[in-house]
């Protein structure tokens, strides 16, 4: 049974920093696909940062240069370091993961739909 458990959320003033962590059990991050999403009540969920099958990282434009995603394969833990936080970063943050897929034309790739989700951790940034 796969479990993803986030921690590290909290309240911080604008310009501050937080680091979110996601501990996985029943699923190995190595060579698979993982990411951080966030959602504000009443709005669609937004992808924030991702690591794909070869370790490449990508970020939403709104967080580029401020957020850093990283993975500790030894501990099977995913992290999101968030610097220069803004009030618009306030949201419920989710860790997500999915196994890599194979295609003869594409090789290994990450599917669009993430299969495993954590329960979320709240981040609140005050101005």
């Amino acid at each position: 049974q796969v479990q993803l458990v986030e921690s590290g959320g909290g309240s911080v003033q604008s310009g501050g920093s937080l680091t979110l962590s996601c501990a996985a059990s029943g699923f190995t991050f190595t060579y698979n696909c993982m990411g951080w999403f966030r959602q504000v009540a009443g709005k669609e969920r937004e992808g924030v940062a991702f690591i794909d099958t070869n370790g490449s990282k990508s970020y939403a434009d709104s967080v580029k240069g401020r957020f850093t995603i990283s993975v500790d394969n030894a501990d099977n833990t995913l992290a999101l370091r968030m610097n220069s936080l803004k009030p618009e970063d306030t949201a419920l943050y989710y860790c997500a993961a999915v196994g890599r897929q194979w295609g003869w034309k594409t090789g290994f790739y990450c599917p669009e739909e993430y299969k495993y989700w954590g329960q979320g951790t709240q981040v609140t940034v005050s101005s």
Side-chain angles (χ1 to χ4, degrees), residues 6 9 30 36 38-39 45 48 61-62 64 69-70 77 79-81 88 92 94 100 108 110 112 124:
E6 301 99 334
T30 308
W36 287 95
R38 65 187 181 187
Q39 188 168 24
R45 188 169 55 204
V48 174
D61 287 343
S62 57
K64 273 181 187 175
I69 189 172
S70 62
T77 301
L80 184 69
R81 175 65 178 177
E88 51 263 43
L92 189 60
Y94 296 93
R100 62 181 179 174
F108 287 113
C110 291
E112 287 190 16
T124 302

Side-chain angles (χ1 to χ4, degrees), residues 85-123:
L85 282 162
K86 304 175 182 180
E88 51 263 43
D89 294 318
T90 295
L92 189 60
Y93 282 73
Y94 296 93
C95 163
V98 64
R100 62 181 179 174
Q101 302 294 306
W102 167 266
W104 286 108
K105 292 183 179 180
T106 59
F108 287 113
Y109 69 95
C110 291
E112 287 190 16
E113 292 290 327
Y114 276 68
K115 184 174 181 180
Y116 306 110
W117 294 84
Q119 80 290 350
T121 185
Q122 178 67 37
V123 172

Side-chain angles (χ1 to χ4, degrees), residues 6-12 18-21 82 91 93 120-124:
E6 301 99 334
S7 61
S11 297
V12 65
L18 282 174
T19 298
L20 306 183
S21 293
M82 306 183 294
Y93 282 73
T121 185
Q122 178 67 37
V123 172
T124 302

